[in-house]
Amino acid sequence: MSDTYTLYNQTVMDHFMNPRNMGDVKDADGIGEVGAAACGDIMKISLKIKDGRIEDARFKTFGCGSAIASSSMATELIKGRTIAEAMNFSNQEVVDALGGLPPVKIHCSVLAEEALKAALEDYVKKHPELAAQINKSEPVAV
Amino acid sequence: MRHVFLDHQSSTPVLPEVFDAMKPFFMEAFGNPSSLHQHGLRVRDAMKKARQQMAALINADSEEEIFFTSDGTESSNLAIKGVAYANERKGKHLVVSATEHPSVMQSVEFLEKQGWTCTRVSVDPEGLINLEELKAAITPQTVLVAVHHVNHDIGTIEPIVEVGRICAEKNVPLYVDCEASAGWLPVDVKQFGAALVSFSPHRFYGPKGVGVLYRNKKARIVSIMHGGVQEGGRRAGTENVPAIVGGGVAAEIALREMPTRIEHTATLQKRLWDGLKTNIKFIKLNGPEPGPMRVSTNLNLSTEFIEGEGQLLLCDMSGIAVASGSSCVSKSLKISHVLGAIGLDHALAQGNIIMSLGKGNTADDIDYVVEAFGKIVVKLRGMSPMWDEFERGVIDSVINPTGRGKSFSQHAADISGKAAH
Ligand code: FES
């Protein structure tokens, strides 16, 4: 039998097999760790922030293939964005960039959004002077 | 790349002898067994032979006790609902073990919505049914007890002879789901004291599309499928003749080769588990140790700090086909109810992989799997925040507690704001 058949599309498989930005940012400026209520999995994103921009983002994930691919893609997408931009980041962007996820796996991409926002909130908490400047939208309810 | 199929519990390849036996029944002997002419009579004869072969596999007295369905799920639906409906006036209570197959559990749930009640008898951490609890659960209203021979997830062999004795004492028919055992372990309906037994040839090198339900006079049963009087009026619908014929041949070969198959898979099972536990830290076998309490084909493993779907996918990319009971793998996002019933910690249930052996696996295959799986675990642990937190002493291992840090489940609950299920 060949390996032509895969559970997810090629982009998702690629990000699962060769995840980008896996690991922890050294001396991170913000760290977010969240759990998925649906299946009990865990994702952690750490950020390096310089001059109001995300300079580096890394992830660690305990979860399914979609969760690993989502965190890989999310960290790719947010690098270079300003904090305000990142605060508006949505899981849909991850889903689109991955070329779609099965319906039952959408929540795994939500986990990536939540981990990113938790990391940003962690950063803002450490820098209260920024809170007023950042036009922060309400966290998206899921 | 080497390809190793370690999911024989899901299905097995059809044997060449089986395929050959089936061939004439597609184009040549295509008749409907209900027809009264030559074409019908010829296939009826072939089906009779298949019934005898199926009866022999489970030591049934007569081929008249063998009914053909479409698969194992239909067989258990028929066994549970068929008996429940037939005995409605006697009582509306059922007793099942907590780790039965979903086709049993959900048939029971269906009946519960219509006014039946059901007692689910608990199992111990290895999956063995609590016999005292079973005895106490049976009431004068009980019309059926369902306990499987071997668990489909964790390979536990249930003390089915004792279960049969209890049912005989209480005079309640016993349904034994033998889907995970028939063809791999001796099944003896008389020794079990079973009124109903089900099994599927595709689990032992027969084709898909046929299930077998044995039923003797101890159980009254009505059809749940309507529109014809096939299978003695117990299952309406045209029979899948080629699959039935092939299934019969598969049963005959399984009976003949059983001692060799058991020995072969038991040797590999031991080699696989020994290799994995030597190679990988924080790995646990769920269910009994390989030996008399466990079917020789199954290993159910929990590898700590990593999730099962990732393991399954990486195995697949290494040419190894396995299954998993992790919640991420299931469409309902729930862990296997069997892992829940044996009280397995959620973190371990998430890291679950099921490997099931067959007669085609070799020792070289096993050595390849041990090595490849070791690498997969290292790769996934490298990505896992849990592994990192364990190494830093934030959380502790369930399998081998170090006494440092909080439990994984506590940690998961803390950060998700909800207790893990
Ligand atoms: S993380 Fe559990 S389903 Fe994706």
Side-chain angles (χ1 to χ4, degrees):
Chain A
M1 186 141 342
S2 71
D3 308 314
T4 330
Y5 303 99
T6 50
L7 192 55
Y8 299 115
N9 73 38
Q10 277 186 6
T11 315
V12 178
M13 284 310 284
D14 179 38
H15 277 265
F16 166 67
M17 298 290 290
N18 314 295
R20 331 295 198 253
N21 314 312
M22 201 275 292
D24 298 289
V25 169
K26 250 191 124 199
D27 305 320
D29 296 310
I31 298 178
E33 189 176 11
V34 295
C39 60
D41 292 333
I42 289 167
M43 198 181 288
K44 185 178 166 189
I45 288 185
S46 53
L47 302 172
K48 186 94 225 156
I49 295 172
K50 211 176 159 195
D51 304 329
R53 268 184 202 281
I54 297 176
E55 202 180 61
D56 197 8
R58 307 215 150 237
F59 80 88
K60 280 218 164 157
T61 294
F62 169 95
C64 72
S66 294
I68 290 171
S70 291
S71 38
S72 166
M73 184 56 93
T75 48
E76 275 292 86
L77 291 170
I78 52 154
K79 274 198 270 180
R81 295 199 186 173
T82 65
I83 296 171
E85 282 165 354
M87 284 289 192
N88 286 315
F89 187 79
S90 125
N91 75 299
Q92 191 55 45
E93 227 187 295
V94 175
V95 176
D96 292 344
L98 286 173
L101 285 173
V104 68
K105 296 289 186 178
I106 297 295
H107 76 275
C108 317
S109 67
V110 173
L111 202 55
E113 176 190 319
E114 289 175 346
L116 168 66
K117 291 193 172 158
L120 289 167
E121 274 156 27
D122 180 46
Y123 175 74
V124 173
K125 222 188 290 158
K126 289 182 201 152
H127 298 86
E129 74 283 2
L130 289 176
Q133 297 171 27
I134 299 162
N135 180 16
K136 185 181 138 206
S137 64
E138 281 302 301
V140 184
V142 280
Chain B
M1 184 171 50
R2 189 183 272 269
H3 285 273
V4 186
F5 188 75
L6 282 185
D7 195 14
H8 289 88
Q9 265 168 210
S10 71
S11 206
T12 56
V14 165
L15 288 176
E17 298 94 310
V18 170
F19 189 43
D20 283 344
M22 291 170 72
K23 278 182 204 160
F25 292 88
F26 287 97
M27 295 173 72
E28 199 192 316
F30 62 87
N32 186 323
S34 297
S35 299
L36 302 182
H37 45 62
Q38 290 296 310
H39 300 274
L41 297 175
R42 170 165 178 199
V43 298
R44 211 181 291 178
D45 209 45
M47 278 182 27
K48 181 175 174 167
K49 184 167 176 216
R51 274 186 229 280
Q52 288 164 345
Q53 289 161 321
M54 303 296 189
L57 182 65
I58 57 172
N59 197 28
D61 275 337
S62 142
E63 82 258 13
E64 278 158 35
E65 296 169 323
I66 301 293
F67 299 90
F68 293 123
T69 66
S70 63
D71 66 355
T73 295
E74 191 193 326
S75 296
S76 38
N77 271 263
L78 176 54
I80 305 275
K81 296 174 194 168
V83 171
Y85 289 138
N87 295 283
E88 224 171 317
R89 275 210 233 116
K90 181 179 173 233
K92 292 179 98 174
H93 180 245
L94 308 158
V95 176
V96 303
S97 93
T99 52
E100 294 297 305
H101 188 267
S103 58
V104 170
M105 294 317 241
Q106 290 176 28
S107 291
V108 162
E109 282 163 30
F110 173 81
L111 289 170
E112 282 175 323
K113 288 192 197 114
Q114 299 173 39
W116 271 265
T117 57
C118 174
T119 309
R120 293 160 180 80
V121 180
S122 72
V123 298
D124 74 7
E126 306 223 300
L128 288 162
I129 187 164
N130 183 327
L131 292 171
E132 287 310 310
E133 209 180 299
L134 171 73
K135 215 181 274 176
I138 301 172
T139 73
Q141 272 68 51
T142 310
V143 293
L144 184 70
V145 171
V147 178
H148 51 11
H149 185 201
V150 165
N151 183 265
H152 53 282
D153 259 5
I154 55 172
T156 311
I157 303 174
E158 297 295 343
I160 215 71
V161 176
E162 278 92 279
V163 171
R165 217 172 281 143
I166 293 171
C167 293
E169 261 166 42
K170 306 257 184 181
N171 202 18
V172 179
L174 168 67
Y175 163 45
V176 186
D177 164 356
C178 293
E179 299 286 337
S181 62
W184 297 101
L185 258 188
V187 171
D188 183 332
V189 294
K190 281 180 260 175
Q191 192 201 13
F192 289 2
L196 299 131
V197 159
S198 65
F199 61 95
S200 297
H202 82 96
R203 304 287 195 97
F204 51 84
Y205 306 97
K208 296 167 194 64
V210 58
V212 182
L213 183 65
Y214 158 89
R215 172 248 169 205
N216 66 22
K217 293 194 187 68
K218 285 189 222 156
R220 289 206 320 127
I221 192 167
V222 294
S223 183
I224 55 170
M225 200 83 92
H226 303 98
V229 290
Q230 291 91 345
E231 298 304 295
R234 263 54 179 230
R235 198 268 185 180
T238 303
E239 293 93 341
N240 184 353
V241 178
I244 288 169
V245 171
V249 175
E252 192 183 308
I253 300 173
L255 187 58
R256 197 168 62 224
E257 288 186 1
M258 199 178 297
T260 341
R261 287 185 190 177
I262 294 175
E263 203 197 298
H264 178 72
T265 48
T267 308
L268 296 185
Q269 181 189 43
K270 204 176 163 295
R271 190 183 186 100
L272 182 53
W273 174 225
D274 285 348
L276 290 173
K277 72 178 172 203
T278 315
N279 214 13
I280 297 163
K281 283 200 185 103
F282 306 104
I283 186 167
K284 179 183 183 295
L285 181 68
N286 300 313
E289 280 291 317
M293 311 279 268
R294 183 178 200 115
V295 73
S296 59
T297 48
N298 167 293
L299 282 182
N300 182 304
L301 308 158
S302 283
T303 308
E304 212 168 359
F305 311 113
I306 53 176
E307 185 279 324
E309 189 195 282
Q311 298 176 52
L312 183 154
L313 283 172
L314 287 178
C315 280
D316 195 26
M317 294 297 114
S318 305
I320 306 164
V322 298
S324 168
S326 155
S327 69
C328 296
V329 173
S330 92
K331 295 219 162 64
S332 62
L333 297 175
K334 289 210 172 82
I335 58 163
S336 141
H337 76 282
V338 176
L339 301 182
I342 60 170
L344 193 67
D345 190 278
H346 181 81
L348 295 186
Q350 274 303 78
N352 179 247
I353 284 290
I354 305 159
M355 298 183 176
S356 48
L357 298 148
K359 70 194 205 84
N361 295 131
T362 65
D364 283 349
D365 286 345
I366 298 309
D367 297 346
Y368 171 73
V369 172
V370 168
E371 209 199 308
F373 195 67
K375 287 186 196 147
I376 289 166
V377 170
V378 169
K379 178 167 181 176
L380 288 172
R381 281 187 179 158
M383 285 193 227
S384 166
M386 314 323 302
W387 176 245
D388 178 53
E389 278 155 3
F390 167 68
E391 286 197 310
R392 287 190 287 116
V394 180
I395 60 166
D396 203 356
S397 159
V398 181
I399 295 176
N400 245 326
T402 60
R404 312 187 300 165
K406 56 184 168 178
S407 75
F408 171 92
S409 301
Q410 186 55 48
H411 180 72
D414 287 353
I415 59 173
S416 70
K418 250 189 208 168
H421 46 238

